[in-house]
Amino acid sequence: MKLAGPLSVLLVASHAHPAHADELDAKRECVAESDNGQRLRDSGKLLEAQHAFVACAAENCPAIVRTDCGAWLSAVVPRIPSLVVSLRDATGHDLATATLWIDGRSVTDGAGGNAIQLDPGPHTLRVQHAGDLLEERVTLAEGEQGRLVRFVIPVDRATSPTSKPLDARAWALAGSSLVAFGVAVGLGLSARADRTDLSRSCGQRCSDAQLAPVRRKLLIGDVALGVSALSAGGAVWFWLSSAPSPSPVASSQSPLGLPSFITASGSF
């Protein structure tokens, strides 16, 4: 129902009985809100229509406009669907610190279990908590009230162990690597000093018996150096094996496909 008739009556009445300019503007605004509310209602934008009908049902609006807007408001409110978002961790505890977005808009009171009114149709919900980003898409029907959407978020990594303790074998091999490297360096320096002494005492005429201790120290030093390298490699391998695998964080640009984390149910 359009209010072209009432608007004409108001304009004629204003010429017959001049009114204050701002009073006439207020009446025109009331009529405009009533027309806008009907247009929004018919296009499925029930939330905006509700606001428009509230405005034109105000006491400062003409009685005929106020009556019609009040009736339209009473009819449109039951048609507005709503949903309730449940945010819990893997242990079943409610989360009050998670961030909720609906259709890209931050909802500050949605994490507290309050019903959220939305227009009928598809909506995208995203929840972020401690680095985890989950997404769910729902389609609300007219009059659907209290649609429950559950998000189950992994236990907060800030308050739970993020990795198993470093493998003790990594520590043992790291220690062995340092000890073997120290032995290799010590023997190498000792062999160098012995060779310097021999070059001073016998030079090129040193016998095999005199050179044997130097060669033995060099050989053992080489073996120790090899043991140090192998131990270091083993320590790195065990360290990497015990490191935690990074938890994937889904992009907010696409569906996550995490049915084990997200479930939805509804009631009418």
Side-chain angles (χ1 to χ4, degrees), residues 155-239:
V155 177
D156 190 349
R157 283 186 286 269
T159 58
S160 64
T162 58
S163 66
K164 55 186 177 181
L166 188 62
D167 197 317
R169 289 171 292 184
W171 291 111
L173 287 173
S176 299
S177 176
L178 290 175
V179 171
F181 183 77
V183 170
V185 171
L187 288 174
L189 293 175
S190 179
R192 181 176 180 181
D194 291 347
R195 186 166 55 186
T196 300
D197 292 341
L198 288 175
S199 65
R200 291 173 181 173
S201 61
C202 58
Q204 300 296 327
R205 298 185 301 276
C206 296
S207 65
D208 289 340
Q210 291 174 307
L211 293 174
V214 176
R215 292 169 178 168
R216 185 166 52 252
K217 288 181 180 180
L218 291 174
L219 177 60
I220 297 174
D222 288 342
V223 172
L225 189 61
V227 170
S228 176
L230 291 174
S231 298
V236 171
W237 188 86
F238 283 116
W239 179 79

Side-chain angles (χ1 to χ4, degrees), residues 129-149:
H129 181 269
D132 294 291
L133 182 61
L134 307 180
E135 178 177 295
E136 175 74 343
R137 294 181 178 180
V138 298
T139 300
L140 299 177
E142 278 196 14
E144 185 177 7
Q145 301 294 323
R147 170 79 171 270
L148 180 60
V149 181

